[in-house]
């Protein structure tokens, strides 16, 4: 089961954080079809947030076709976001871990790495989008 966490300093609405974390877990295969999401009550108790916030996130995930509520049973995953390339996840994570250690040894911190990764992703996907047109 997913364990949500909320960053109250991020400026990102709480319900959006829940959605993003759920989608990330679906991409990584941490959540798979048939898994039950925590109940709204469980999330409220763990995070001290409003129940309507959890319900709003779950409704959005349902609207996206990713989860489905079952009366009396909970909310269940009905679709995955994992792609076939995620089977190589372990090797990719090993390579990424090595790169992160190299960067931190060079004195870079998380915001520095985030800036580098964001710039590289923007460059790669902008190039890919141009090539597709």
């Amino acid at each position: 089961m997913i364990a949500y966490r909320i960053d109250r300093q991020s400026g990102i609405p709480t319900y959006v954080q829940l959605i993003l974390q759920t989608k990330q877990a679906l991409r990584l295969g941490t959540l798979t079809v048939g898994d039950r999401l925590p109940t709204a009550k469980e999330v409220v108790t763990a995070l001290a947030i409003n129940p309507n916030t959890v319900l709003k996130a779950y409704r959005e995930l349902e609207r996206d076709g990713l989860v489905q509520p079952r009366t009396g049973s909970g909310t269940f995953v009905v679709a995955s976001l994992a792609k076939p390339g995620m089977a190589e996840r372990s090797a990719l994570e090993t390579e990424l871990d090595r790169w992160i250690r190299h960067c931190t040894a060079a004195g870079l911190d998380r915001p520095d790495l985030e800036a580098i990764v964001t710039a590289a992703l923007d460059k790669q996907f902008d190039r890919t989008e141009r090539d597709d047109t």
Side-chain angles (χ1 to χ4, degrees):
M1 187 180 303
I2 188 168
Y4 293 113
R5 64 200 175 288
I6 300 302
D7 179 355
R8 299 182 196 291
Q9 309 304 315
S10 72
I12 299 171
T14 302
Y15 84 97
V16 173
Q17 291 183 51
L18 297 175
I19 293 168
L20 293 173
Q21 288 173 46
T22 302
K23 288 182 175 182
Q24 180 178 12
L26 290 168
R27 279 189 183 84
L28 295 175
T30 308
L31 280 175
T32 59
V33 173
D35 287 347
R36 183 178 69 80
L37 296 182
T39 65
K41 184 177 181 178
E42 291 168 339
V43 177
V44 166
T45 300
L47 301 176
I49 60 176
N50 187 305
N52 290 328
T53 301
V54 181
L55 297 174
K56 184 175 182 177
Y58 284 12
R59 277 193 306 273
E60 186 72 29
L61 291 165
E62 180 183 7
R63 208 174 0 260
D64 289 346
L66 299 172
V67 302
Q68 184 176 51
R70 296 183 193 153
T71 305
S73 299
T75 302
F76 291 83
V77 174
V78 294
S80 174
L81 294 176
K83 294 183 177 163
M86 289 307 273
E88 300 175 16
R89 178 177 165 198
S90 179
L92 295 170
E93 285 178 345
T94 299
E95 188 176 335
L96 185 57
D97 287 343
R98 189 171 27 255
W99 179 79
I100 291 170
R101 282 193 307 275
H102 176 76
C103 291
T104 56
L108 302 177
D109 60 13
R110 184 183 179 118
D112 298 327
L113 298 182
E114 288 173 350
I116 291 169
V117 169
T118 299
L121 288 170
D122 289 347
K123 181 179 175 182
Q124 177 63 37
F125 283 95
D126 182 50
R127 181 180 326 135
T128 302
E129 290 168 5
R130 279 198 311 261
D131 292 346
D132 289 342
T133 56

